[in-house]
Amino acid sequence: MCGIVGYLGNKNTKEILLDGLKELEYRGYDSAGIAVLQNNNFSNYKAVGKLINLEEKTKDFVTNSFAVGIGHTRWATHGKPTELNAHPHLGESSYVVHNGIIENYVSLKNELQSDGVKFLSQTDTEVIVHQFEKNLITAKDTFEAFSQTISQLQGAYAILLVTKGEDETIFFAKHGSPMLMGVNEENEKFFASSDTPLIGHAKEVNYFEDGDYGYVSKNEIIIYSKDKELQKPNFQTISTNRLSSQKNGYRFFMEKEIYEQSDVVSDTLMGRLGENEINFNEIDSTLFDDINEIKLCACGTSYHSALSASYMFERYAKIRCCVEIASEFRYRDPLMCKDTLFVVISQSGETADTLETLKMAKKEGLKTLVICNVDNSSMVRLADACILTRAGIEKGVASTKAFATQVSVFWMLSLYVAKLRDAMDANQLAKQIHLLREIPSSLKISDAIHEKIKRLSKRYLHGHGFFFIGRDIFFPLALEGALKLKEISYLHAEGYPSGEMKHGPIALADPELFTIALLPQHLLYEKSKSNVEELSARDSTICAISAIEFDKADDFIQINECQDYMLEFFEMMIVVQLLSLEISVRLGNDVDMPRNLAKSVTVE
Ligand code: AGP
């Protein structure tokens, strides 16, 4: 996720902006920049990579009188991590920084380009500053031009804009991406994506609501609501603990990332869901020309999302799909056919085994695609095409939001391919797109279910192991739930197809064997239920997860009634993630940094 800072005041603007960006580094970024307006003169600096590169570029730049300034750390969603794509973005006489995704940037950009506007970057953000300067020509004043611009944007944004002629003013707008403003007795004004950069500077803060827009100057704070009504700032005291503020008050980054899934999947979907088609602007549909099979290759959690994808590609797109574990694929002399699209999946884009399989496919002349969360990573640079998952930085070693965004991308991609292959009629496609729009609400977590999981986790701290069982696409989810538990509780767990338990594992059934049973209402419910009853009859301890009451379970976690099994998938995913987290907490383990594990396995 990008980070934004802004400052208006008499102190060292450059240092305040750079220090603020440093406090936002935990959000993850690949480039950064600042723009400072002093006495109607702009100074602008950008650098790829870490902030130290930007500090180096600005070391001779001094700001010790009144100024307005904006700064940004960029996590690439549109366009490679380059200096040109780094924010702030320049028009003729204005700079803008933006966190979020402008859904309608293509149409705005096309219109501006037809007016003769020259774009320097590949980003969606740059349309904001050019649209603003277009509006400046006809608006009665600068704020009207800014207001018009905001009303023309669709998508998610936290925006700061500064412009010549208004060198004592910062314009702002917030919708869907976080931003707050801070003030103190020295009449300084601060902006940031989260409160960490304001700690130690601001005395009070105002958290903007969706739809808020306005401007601040030396003596004014003007805020309009989404209903265009002038409103007073709602100031409150600011937290003083930087680390907890980076975790937004959650106990662990993993917990924060589980709760973030609803928002980040909204970003994943943004700009890609048409009324009756899926749009992937970042790939060309010819990628699928002459392709009769899709081969997915990954490790760990990414392997589980790939397995989930295989059910969707064959069910929705009617295309053969097989899934490989990268470390196995590398050494088994696999047959590679040119009519196979080779897809690697990786949160980091750096996993050694997966990267090597990508090189193997390229060497054999196969077309390649990477589903990744980190732009400019090794796999992104190597593959023919890339779809970014937009999960933002994932700090917890146990992957959560990366998995949710990967499955969401694959659901969309299976429908994209279904349309290319005429494998699904328009009504079916429209229904699926409607369901996709429901994912974020399926990922909302009620206090009640989290409290229930926290309470019952005390019963699962020992035993001789766990089975997570599921059928069909819930089998990969069972594998993922088992992996989560292993990683952070250090208890043994395995994911298993429900129908396979009677072929051996049921010999383990006894009260000390804990079975976490996934019982989706809309997919093979009766079959799954009978598998669980077989275990219950042999006195296994059962924890059932379902929308339907299940009286043969020792524990029962009820999810919401859903329209479709895919929404049940996401609801049950939250449950197994939280269950592993709460068991780990009770065992006193390091949830974010479990023993023996690394966030990215860049060695064999
Ligand atoms: C998942 O919780 C683990 N951290 C691990 O299995 C991880 O998914 C695997 O190492 C693959 O990483 P990648 O997605 O970055 O390639």
Side-chain angles (χ1 to χ4, degrees), residues 302-359:
S302 296
Y303 170 69
H304 298 152
S305 70
L307 272 180
S308 307
S310 64
Y311 291 85
M312 294 188 277
F313 277 121
E314 297 208 342
R315 183 166 286 150
Y316 301 147
K318 306 296 180 223
I319 187 167
R320 277 199 319 276
C321 181
C322 65
V323 189
E324 304 279 358
I325 291 175
S327 57
E328 285 297 302
F329 185 75
R330 284 182 72 178
Y331 299 106
R332 66 171 177 72
D333 304 324
L335 288 180
M336 303 260 221
C337 308
K338 289 272 179 45
D339 70 343
T340 298
L341 175 68
F342 196 85
V343 183
V344 288
I345 304 92
S346 177
Q347 189 283 132
S348 62
E350 302 297 346
T351 300
D353 286 323
T354 312
L355 181 57
E356 284 311 310
T357 64
L358 176 58
K359 290 174 183 171

Short mmCIF file of all heavy atoms in Angstrom, two decimals, residues 302-359:
data_model
loop_
_atom_site.label_atom_id
_atom_site.label_comp_id
_atom_site.label_asym_id
_atom_site.label_seq_id
_atom_site.Cartn_x
_atom_site.Cartn_y
_atom_site.Cartn_z
N SER A 302 0.87 -20.25 -1.80
CA SER A 302 0.61 -19.93 -3.21
C SER A 302 0.23 -21.19 -3.97
O SER A 302 -0.54 -21.14 -4.93
CB SER A 302 1.84 -19.26 -3.82
OG SER A 302 2.06 -18.02 -3.17
N TYR A 303 0.77 -22.32 -3.55
CA TYR A 303 0.38 -23.60 -4.16
C TYR A 303 -1.08 -23.91 -3.84
O TYR A 303 -1.84 -24.37 -4.71
CB TYR A 303 1.29 -24.71 -3.63
CG TYR A 303 0.85 -26.12 -3.99
CD1 TYR A 303 0.90 -26.59 -5.30
CD2 TYR A 303 0.35 -26.97 -3.00
CE1 TYR A 303 0.49 -27.87 -5.63
CE2 TYR A 303 -0.07 -28.25 -3.31
CZ TYR A 303 0.00 -28.70 -4.62
OH TYR A 303 -0.43 -29.97 -4.93
N HIS A 304 -1.50 -23.53 -2.65
CA HIS A 304 -2.90 -23.80 -2.29
C HIS A 304 -3.86 -22.91 -3.09
O HIS A 304 -4.94 -23.35 -3.50
CB HIS A 304 -3.10 -23.58 -0.79
CG HIS A 304 -2.27 -24.50 0.05
ND1 HIS A 304 -1.83 -24.17 1.32
CD2 HIS A 304 -1.77 -25.75 -0.22
CE1 HIS A 304 -1.11 -25.18 1.81
NE2 HIS A 304 -1.06 -26.14 0.88
N SER A 305 -3.46 -21.68 -3.34
CA SER A 305 -4.34 -20.84 -4.17
C SER A 305 -4.35 -21.37 -5.60
O SER A 305 -5.37 -21.32 -6.29
CB SER A 305 -3.90 -19.37 -4.12
OG SER A 305 -2.69 -19.17 -4.80
N ALA A 306 -3.23 -21.91 -6.03
CA ALA A 306 -3.16 -22.50 -7.38
C ALA A 306 -4.09 -23.71 -7.48
O ALA A 306 -4.82 -23.89 -8.45
CB ALA A 306 -1.73 -22.89 -7.71
N LEU A 307 -4.08 -24.55 -6.45
CA LEU A 307 -4.99 -25.70 -6.42
C LEU A 307 -6.44 -25.22 -6.48
O LEU A 307 -7.27 -25.75 -7.23
CB LEU A 307 -4.79 -26.52 -5.14
CG LEU A 307 -3.74 -27.62 -5.13
CD1 LEU A 307 -3.72 -28.29 -3.75
CD2 LEU A 307 -3.99 -28.68 -6.21
N SER A 308 -6.74 -24.18 -5.73
CA SER A 308 -8.11 -23.62 -5.75
C SER A 308 -8.45 -23.17 -7.16
O SER A 308 -9.54 -23.44 -7.68
CB SER A 308 -8.22 -22.43 -4.79
OG SER A 308 -7.78 -22.78 -3.50
N ALA A 309 -7.48 -22.55 -7.82
CA ALA A 309 -7.70 -22.04 -9.18
C ALA A 309 -8.02 -23.16 -10.15
O ALA A 309 -8.84 -23.01 -11.06
CB ALA A 309 -6.46 -21.28 -9.65
N SER A 310 -7.40 -24.32 -9.94
CA SER A 310 -7.59 -25.42 -10.92
C SER A 310 -9.05 -25.84 -11.00
O SER A 310 -9.56 -26.15 -12.08
CB SER A 310 -6.70 -26.61 -10.55
OG SER A 310 -7.09 -27.15 -9.29
N TYR A 311 -9.76 -25.79 -9.87
CA TYR A 311 -11.19 -26.13 -9.89
C TYR A 311 -11.96 -25.10 -10.72
O TYR A 311 -12.86 -25.44 -11.48
CB TYR A 311 -11.76 -26.16 -8.47
CG TYR A 311 -11.23 -27.30 -7.62
CD1 TYR A 311 -10.04 -27.18 -6.93
CD2 TYR A 311 -11.91 -28.52 -7.55
CE1 TYR A 311 -9.54 -28.22 -6.16
CE2 TYR A 311 -11.43 -29.58 -6.79
CZ TYR A 311 -10.24 -29.41 -6.10
OH TYR A 311 -9.74 -30.46 -5.34
N MET A 312 -11.57 -23.84 -10.59
CA MET A 312 -12.31 -22.78 -11.29
C MET A 312 -11.99 -22.79 -12.77
O MET A 312 -12.90 -22.65 -13.60
CB MET A 312 -11.98 -21.42 -10.65
CG MET A 312 -12.48 -21.33 -9.23
SD MET A 312 -12.32 -19.67 -8.52
CE MET A 312 -10.60 -19.69 -7.99
N PHE A 313 -10.74 -22.99 -13.17
CA PHE A 313 -10.40 -22.99 -14.59
C PHE A 313 -11.15 -24.13 -15.31
O PHE A 313 -11.68 -23.96 -16.41
CB PHE A 313 -8.89 -23.16 -14.80
CG PHE A 313 -8.11 -21.88 -14.67
CD1 PHE A 313 -7.11 -21.74 -13.73
CD2 PHE A 313 -8.40 -20.80 -15.50
CE1 PHE A 313 -6.39 -20.56 -13.62
CE2 PHE A 313 -7.69 -19.62 -15.39
CZ PHE A 313 -6.69 -19.50 -14.44
N GLU A 314 -11.21 -25.30 -14.69
CA GLU A 314 -11.87 -26.42 -15.38
C GLU A 314 -13.38 -26.28 -15.31
O GLU A 314 -14.07 -26.57 -16.29
CB GLU A 314 -11.39 -27.75 -14.77
CG GLU A 314 -9.88 -27.95 -14.99
CD GLU A 314 -9.47 -29.39 -15.04
OE1 GLU A 314 -10.26 -30.26 -14.57
OE2 GLU A 314 -8.38 -29.68 -15.58
N ARG A 315 -13.90 -25.80 -14.19
CA ARG A 315 -15.36 -25.68 -14.03
C ARG A 315 -15.90 -24.51 -14.84
O ARG A 315 -16.91 -24.62 -15.50
CB ARG A 315 -15.67 -25.51 -12.54
CG ARG A 315 -17.12 -25.45 -12.17
CD ARG A 315 -17.30 -25.64 -10.68
NE ARG A 315 -17.08 -27.03 -10.27
CZ ARG A 315 -16.61 -27.38 -9.07
NH1 ARG A 315 -16.27 -26.46 -8.20
NH2 ARG A 315 -16.48 -28.66 -8.76
N TYR A 316 -15.26 -23.37 -14.82
CA TYR A 316 -15.83 -22.17 -15.46
C TYR A 316 -15.30 -21.97 -16.89
O TYR A 316 -16.03 -21.63 -17.79
CB TYR A 316 -15.50 -20.91 -14.65
CG TYR A 316 -16.01 -20.92 -13.23
CD1 TYR A 316 -15.30 -20.29 -12.22
CD2 TYR A 316 -17.20 -21.57 -12.89
CE1 TYR A 316 -15.77 -20.29 -10.90
CE2 TYR A 316 -17.68 -21.58 -11.59
CZ TYR A 316 -16.95 -20.95 -10.60
OH TYR A 316 -17.40 -20.96 -9.31
N ALA A 317 -13.98 -22.19 -17.07
CA ALA A 317 -13.39 -21.88 -18.38
C ALA A 317 -13.28 -23.11 -19.27
O ALA A 317 -12.89 -23.01 -20.43
CB ALA A 317 -12.00 -21.26 -18.19
N LYS A 318 -13.61 -24.28 -18.72
CA LYS A 318 -13.54 -25.55 -19.48
C LYS A 318 -12.17 -25.70 -20.16
O LYS A 318 -12.09 -26.02 -21.35
CB LYS A 318 -14.66 -25.59 -20.54
CG LYS A 318 -16.05 -25.36 -20.00
CD LYS A 318 -16.48 -26.45 -19.05
CE LYS A 318 -17.89 -26.18 -18.52
NZ LYS A 318 -18.01 -26.43 -17.06
N ILE A 319 -11.14 -25.40 -19.39
CA ILE A 319 -9.78 -25.58 -19.91
C ILE A 319 -9.03 -26.49 -18.96
O ILE A 319 -9.18 -26.40 -17.74
CB ILE A 319 -9.05 -24.22 -20.10
CG1 ILE A 319 -7.71 -24.43 -20.80
CG2 ILE A 319 -8.85 -23.50 -18.76
CD1 ILE A 319 -7.09 -23.13 -21.30
N ARG A 320 -8.22 -27.39 -19.54
CA ARG A 320 -7.47 -28.31 -18.68
C ARG A 320 -6.51 -27.51 -17.80
O ARG A 320 -5.90 -26.54 -18.24
CB ARG A 320 -6.64 -29.27 -19.56
CG ARG A 320 -7.40 -30.48 -20.07
CD ARG A 320 -6.43 -31.59 -20.52
NE ARG A 320 -5.27 -31.10 -21.25
CZ ARG A 320 -5.27 -30.84 -22.56
NH1 ARG A 320 -6.39 -30.94 -23.25
NH2 ARG A 320 -4.18 -30.42 -23.17
N CYS A 321 -6.42 -27.94 -16.58
CA CYS A 321 -5.53 -27.21 -15.67
C CYS A 321 -4.87 -28.20 -14.72
O CYS A 321 -5.53 -29.05 -14.14
CB CYS A 321 -6.33 -26.18 -14.88
SG CYS A 321 -5.31 -25.21 -13.76
N CYS A 322 -3.56 -28.10 -14.62
CA CYS A 322 -2.87 -28.94 -13.64
C CYS A 322 -1.98 -28.07 -12.77
O CYS A 322 -1.62 -26.96 -13.14
CB CYS A 322 -2.05 -30.02 -14.34
SG CYS A 322 -0.71 -29.36 -15.31
N VAL A 323 -1.66 -28.59 -11.58
CA VAL A 323 -0.96 -27.80 -10.58
C VAL A 323 0.29 -28.54 -10.13
O VAL A 323 0.25 -29.76 -9.93
CB VAL A 323 -1.86 -27.54 -9.36
CG1 VAL A 323 -1.21 -26.52 -8.43
CG2 VAL A 323 -3.22 -27.01 -9.80
N GLU A 324 1.38 -27.81 -10.02
CA GLU A 324 2.66 -28.43 -9.65
C GLU A 324 3.24 -27.76 -8.41
O GLU A 324 3.12 -26.54 -8.25
CB GLU A 324 3.67 -28.22 -10.79
CG GLU A 324 3.22 -28.74 -12.14
CD GLU A 324 3.43 -30.24 -12.30
OE1 GLU A 324 3.96 -30.88 -11.35
OE2 GLU A 324 3.07 -30.76 -13.37
N ILE A 325 3.86 -28.57 -7.56
CA ILE A 325 4.69 -28.02 -6.48
C ILE A 325 6.05 -27.72 -7.09
O ILE A 325 6.70 -28.61 -7.65
CB ILE A 325 4.81 -29.03 -5.32
CG1 ILE A 325 3.46 -29.17 -4.61
CG2 ILE A 325 5.89 -28.60 -4.34
CD1 ILE A 325 3.43 -30.23 -3.53
N ALA A 326 6.48 -26.49 -6.99
CA ALA A 326 7.68 -26.05 -7.73
C ALA A 326 8.90 -26.90 -7.42
O ALA A 326 9.66 -27.29 -8.32
CB ALA A 326 7.94 -24.58 -7.44
N SER A 327 9.12 -27.21 -6.13
CA SER A 327 10.35 -27.94 -5.77
C SER A 327 10.34 -29.35 -6.34
O SER A 327 11.41 -29.94 -6.56
CB SER A 327 10.48 -28.01 -4.25
OG SER A 327 9.32 -28.63 -3.70
N GLU A 328 9.16 -29.89 -6.61
CA GLU A 328 9.07 -31.21 -7.25
C GLU A 328 9.23 -31.07 -8.76
O GLU A 328 9.97 -31.82 -9.40
CB GLU A 328 7.71 -31.85 -6.93
CG GLU A 328 7.59 -32.37 -5.52
CD GLU A 328 8.57 -33.49 -5.27
OE1 GLU A 328 8.53 -34.51 -6.00
OE2 GLU A 328 9.41 -33.33 -4.37
N PHE A 329 8.57 -30.08 -9.31
CA PHE A 329 8.53 -29.91 -10.76
C PHE A 329 9.94 -29.72 -11.33
O PHE A 329 10.27 -30.23 -12.39
CB PHE A 329 7.66 -28.70 -11.09
CG PHE A 329 7.44 -28.47 -12.56
CD1 PHE A 329 6.55 -29.28 -13.27
CD2 PHE A 329 8.12 -27.48 -13.24
CE1 PHE A 329 6.33 -29.08 -14.63
CE2 PHE A 329 7.92 -27.27 -14.59
CZ PHE A 329 7.03 -28.07 -15.29
N ARG A 330 10.75 -29.02 -10.56
CA ARG A 330 12.10 -28.67 -11.05
C ARG A 330 12.91 -29.89 -11.47
O ARG A 330 13.73 -29.83 -12.36
CB ARG A 330 12.88 -27.97 -9.93
CG ARG A 330 12.52 -26.55 -9.68
CD ARG A 330 13.40 -25.99 -8.60
NE ARG A 330 14.77 -25.76 -9.06
CZ ARG A 330 15.71 -25.23 -8.31
NH1 ARG A 330 15.45 -24.89 -7.06
NH2 ARG A 330 16.92 -25.02 -8.78
N TYR A 331 12.71 -31.01 -10.78
CA TYR A 331 13.65 -32.13 -10.93
C TYR A 331 13.03 -33.39 -11.51
O TYR A 331 13.65 -34.44 -11.53
CB TYR A 331 14.30 -32.46 -9.56
CG TYR A 331 15.06 -31.30 -8.99
CD1 TYR A 331 14.55 -30.56 -7.92
CD2 TYR A 331 16.27 -30.89 -9.55
CE1 TYR A 331 15.23 -29.47 -7.41
CE2 TYR A 331 16.96 -29.80 -9.05
CZ TYR A 331 16.44 -29.10 -7.98
OH TYR A 331 17.12 -28.01 -7.48
N ARG A 332 11.78 -33.27 -12.02
CA ARG A 332 11.21 -34.54 -12.50
C ARG A 332 11.16 -34.63 -14.01
O ARG A 332 10.39 -35.37 -14.58
CB ARG A 332 9.82 -34.76 -11.89
CG ARG A 332 8.73 -33.80 -12.29
CD ARG A 332 7.37 -34.35 -11.75
NE ARG A 332 6.27 -33.46 -12.02
CZ ARG A 332 5.75 -33.27 -13.23
NH1 ARG A 332 6.26 -33.88 -14.26
NH2 ARG A 332 4.73 -32.46 -13.40
N ASP A 333 12.04 -33.86 -14.70
CA ASP A 333 12.08 -33.94 -16.17
C ASP A 333 10.69 -33.85 -16.77
O ASP A 333 10.26 -34.74 -17.51
CB ASP A 333 12.74 -35.26 -16.62
CG ASP A 333 14.14 -35.40 -16.03
OD1 ASP A 333 14.81 -34.35 -15.91
OD2 ASP A 333 14.51 -36.51 -15.62
N PRO A 334 9.98 -32.78 -16.48
CA PRO A 334 8.59 -32.69 -16.92
C PRO A 334 8.47 -32.48 -18.43
O PRO A 334 9.35 -31.92 -19.06
CB PRO A 334 8.08 -31.46 -16.17
CG PRO A 334 9.28 -30.62 -15.98
CD PRO A 334 10.43 -31.56 -15.79
N LEU A 335 7.37 -32.96 -18.98
CA LEU A 335 7.05 -32.67 -20.38
C LEU A 335 6.47 -31.26 -20.45
O LEU A 335 5.60 -30.91 -19.66
CB LEU A 335 6.02 -33.68 -20.91
CG LEU A 335 6.53 -35.11 -21.15
CD1 LEU A 335 5.40 -35.98 -21.66
CD2 LEU A 335 7.70 -35.09 -22.14
N MET A 336 6.98 -30.49 -21.38
CA MET A 336 6.49 -29.11 -21.53
C MET A 336 5.96 -28.96 -22.95
O MET A 336 6.69 -29.19 -23.90
CB MET A 336 7.64 -28.12 -21.32
CG MET A 336 8.32 -28.29 -19.97
SD MET A 336 7.71 -27.07 -18.85
CE MET A 336 9.24 -26.62 -18.03
N CYS A 337 4.69 -28.56 -23.06
CA CYS A 337 4.10 -28.43 -24.40
C CYS A 337 3.81 -26.96 -24.70
O CYS A 337 3.37 -26.22 -23.81
CB CYS A 337 2.80 -29.23 -24.48
SG CYS A 337 3.04 -30.93 -23.93
N LYS A 338 4.01 -26.59 -25.95
CA LYS A 338 3.88 -25.17 -26.32
C LYS A 338 2.44 -24.66 -26.18
O LYS A 338 2.21 -23.47 -26.12
CB LYS A 338 4.35 -24.98 -27.77
CG LYS A 338 5.86 -25.12 -27.95
CD LYS A 338 6.56 -23.80 -27.73
CE LYS A 338 8.08 -23.93 -27.88
NZ LYS A 338 8.61 -24.68 -29.00
N ASP A 339 1.46 -25.60 -26.16
CA ASP A 339 0.07 -25.13 -26.02
C ASP A 339 -0.33 -25.02 -24.56
O ASP A 339 -1.51 -24.92 -24.22
CB ASP A 339 -0.90 -26.05 -26.77
CG ASP A 339 -1.03 -27.41 -26.09
OD1 ASP A 339 -0.14 -27.73 -25.25
OD2 ASP A 339 -2.01 -28.12 -26.37
N THR A 340 0.67 -25.06 -23.67
CA THR A 340 0.42 -24.88 -22.24
C THR A 340 0.82 -23.47 -21.82
O THR A 340 1.93 -23.02 -22.13
CB THR A 340 1.25 -25.90 -21.43
OG1 THR A 340 0.84 -27.22 -21.79
CG2 THR A 340 1.07 -25.68 -19.93
N LEU A 341 -0.06 -22.77 -21.14
CA LEU A 341 0.31 -21.49 -20.52
C LEU A 341 0.87 -21.80 -19.13
O LEU A 341 0.19 -22.43 -18.33
CB LEU A 341 -0.89 -20.56 -20.39
CG LEU A 341 -0.62 -19.24 -19.64
CD1 LEU A 341 0.32 -18.34 -20.45
CD2 LEU A 341 -1.92 -18.49 -19.34
N PHE A 342 2.10 -21.39 -18.89
CA PHE A 342 2.75 -21.70 -17.62
C PHE A 342 2.57 -20.52 -16.68
O PHE A 342 3.00 -19.40 -16.97
CB PHE A 342 4.25 -21.97 -17.85
CG PHE A 342 4.93 -22.65 -16.70
CD1 PHE A 342 4.89 -24.03 -16.57
CD2 PHE A 342 5.57 -21.91 -15.72
CE1 PHE A 342 5.52 -24.67 -15.51
CE2 PHE A 342 6.19 -22.53 -14.64
CZ PHE A 342 6.17 -23.92 -14.54
N VAL A 343 1.89 -20.75 -15.57
CA VAL A 343 1.57 -19.67 -14.62
C VAL A 343 2.25 -19.94 -13.28
O VAL A 343 2.06 -20.99 -12.69
CB VAL A 343 0.05 -19.58 -14.40
CG1 VAL A 343 -0.29 -18.41 -13.47
CG2 VAL A 343 -0.69 -19.41 -15.73
N VAL A 344 3.05 -18.98 -12.84
CA VAL A 344 3.66 -19.09 -11.51
C VAL A 344 2.93 -18.13 -10.57
O VAL A 344 2.51 -17.05 -10.99
CB VAL A 344 5.18 -18.81 -11.52
CG1 VAL A 344 5.92 -19.97 -12.17
CG2 VAL A 344 5.51 -17.49 -12.17
N ILE A 345 2.81 -18.57 -9.33
CA ILE A 345 2.11 -17.76 -8.33
C ILE A 345 3.05 -17.54 -7.16
O ILE A 345 3.66 -18.50 -6.65
CB ILE A 345 0.85 -18.49 -7.82
CG1 ILE A 345 -0.07 -18.86 -8.98
CG2 ILE A 345 0.12 -17.62 -6.79
CD1 ILE A 345 0.18 -20.22 -9.55
N SER A 346 3.21 -16.30 -6.77
CA SER A 346 4.15 -16.01 -5.68
C SER A 346 3.83 -14.65 -5.04
O SER A 346 3.71 -13.66 -5.76
CB SER A 346 5.57 -15.99 -6.21
OG SER A 346 6.49 -15.65 -5.18
N GLN A 347 3.69 -14.63 -3.75
CA GLN A 347 3.49 -13.37 -3.04
C GLN A 347 4.71 -12.48 -3.23
O GLN A 347 4.58 -11.35 -3.66
CB GLN A 347 3.25 -13.62 -1.55
CG GLN A 347 2.82 -12.43 -0.74
CD GLN A 347 3.98 -11.47 -0.39
OE1 GLN A 347 3.87 -10.26 -0.57
NE2 GLN A 347 5.12 -11.97 0.07
N SER A 348 5.88 -13.06 -2.99
CA SER A 348 7.13 -12.28 -3.00
C SER A 348 7.69 -12.07 -4.39
O SER A 348 8.42 -11.12 -4.66
CB SER A 348 8.18 -13.00 -2.14
OG SER A 348 8.44 -14.29 -2.74
N GLY A 349 7.43 -13.06 -5.28
CA GLY A 349 8.05 -13.00 -6.60
C GLY A 349 9.51 -13.39 -6.58
O GLY A 349 10.23 -13.22 -7.58
N GLU A 350 9.98 -13.93 -5.46
CA GLU A 350 11.42 -14.26 -5.31
C GLU A 350 11.66 -15.70 -4.87
O GLU A 350 12.81 -16.11 -4.76
CB GLU A 350 12.06 -13.33 -4.27
CG GLU A 350 11.94 -11.84 -4.58
CD GLU A 350 12.66 -11.43 -5.87
OE1 GLU A 350 13.48 -12.24 -6.39
OE2 GLU A 350 12.41 -10.32 -6.36
N THR A 351 10.64 -16.50 -4.63
CA THR A 351 10.83 -17.88 -4.15
C THR A 351 11.67 -18.66 -5.13
O THR A 351 11.29 -18.79 -6.31
CB THR A 351 9.47 -18.54 -3.92
OG1 THR A 351 8.76 -17.77 -2.95
CG2 THR A 351 9.60 -19.97 -3.45
N ALA A 352 12.78 -19.20 -4.64
CA ALA A 352 13.78 -19.81 -5.53
C ALA A 352 13.20 -20.93 -6.38
O ALA A 352 13.37 -20.95 -7.61
CB ALA A 352 14.95 -20.31 -4.68
N ASP A 353 12.50 -21.85 -5.76
CA ASP A 353 11.99 -23.00 -6.51
C ASP A 353 11.01 -22.56 -7.61
O ASP A 353 11.10 -23.02 -8.76
CB ASP A 353 11.28 -23.98 -5.56
CG ASP A 353 12.25 -24.77 -4.70
OD1 ASP A 353 13.33 -25.13 -5.22
OD2 ASP A 353 11.95 -25.01 -3.52
N THR A 354 10.14 -21.66 -7.26
CA THR A 354 9.15 -21.20 -8.24
C THR A 354 9.82 -20.45 -9.37
O THR A 354 9.51 -20.64 -10.55
CB THR A 354 8.10 -20.30 -7.53
OG1 THR A 354 7.65 -20.94 -6.33
CG2 THR A 354 6.92 -20.01 -8.44
N LEU A 355 10.79 -19.61 -9.02
CA LEU A 355 11.52 -18.84 -10.02
C LEU A 355 12.23 -19.77 -11.00
O LEU A 355 12.22 -19.55 -12.22
CB LEU A 355 12.53 -17.92 -9.33
CG LEU A 355 13.39 -17.01 -10.20
CD1 LEU A 355 12.53 -16.09 -11.07
CD2 LEU A 355 14.35 -16.18 -9.32
N GLU A 356 12.78 -20.84 -10.50
CA GLU A 356 13.51 -21.78 -11.39
C GLU A 356 12.55 -22.46 -12.36
O GLU A 356 12.87 -22.68 -13.52
CB GLU A 356 14.25 -22.83 -10.55
CG GLU A 356 15.51 -22.30 -9.90
CD GLU A 356 16.42 -21.56 -10.88
OE1 GLU A 356 16.70 -22.12 -11.97
OE2 GLU A 356 16.79 -20.40 -10.60
N THR A 357 11.35 -22.77 -11.89
CA THR A 357 10.40 -23.42 -12.82
C THR A 357 9.99 -22.44 -13.92
O THR A 357 9.79 -22.83 -15.08
CB THR A 357 9.15 -23.91 -12.07
OG1 THR A 357 8.44 -22.79 -11.53
CG2 THR A 357 9.51 -24.89 -10.98
N LEU A 358 9.92 -21.16 -13.55
CA LEU A 358 9.58 -20.14 -14.57
C LEU A 358 10.67 -20.10 -15.64
O LEU A 358 10.40 -20.06 -16.84
CB LEU A 358 9.41 -18.78 -13.89
CG LEU A 358 9.15 -17.56 -14.78
CD1 LEU A 358 7.89 -17.74 -15.62
CD2 LEU A 358 9.05 -16.29 -13.93
N LYS A 359 11.93 -20.18 -15.19
CA LYS A 359 13.05 -20.18 -16.15
C LYS A 359 12.98 -21.42 -17.05
O LYS A 359 13.24 -21.34 -18.25
CB LYS A 359 14.38 -20.14 -15.39
CG LYS A 359 14.65 -18.81 -14.70
CD LYS A 359 15.91 -18.85 -13.84
CE LYS A 359 16.14 -17.55 -13.09
NZ LYS A 359 17.24 -17.66 -12.09
#
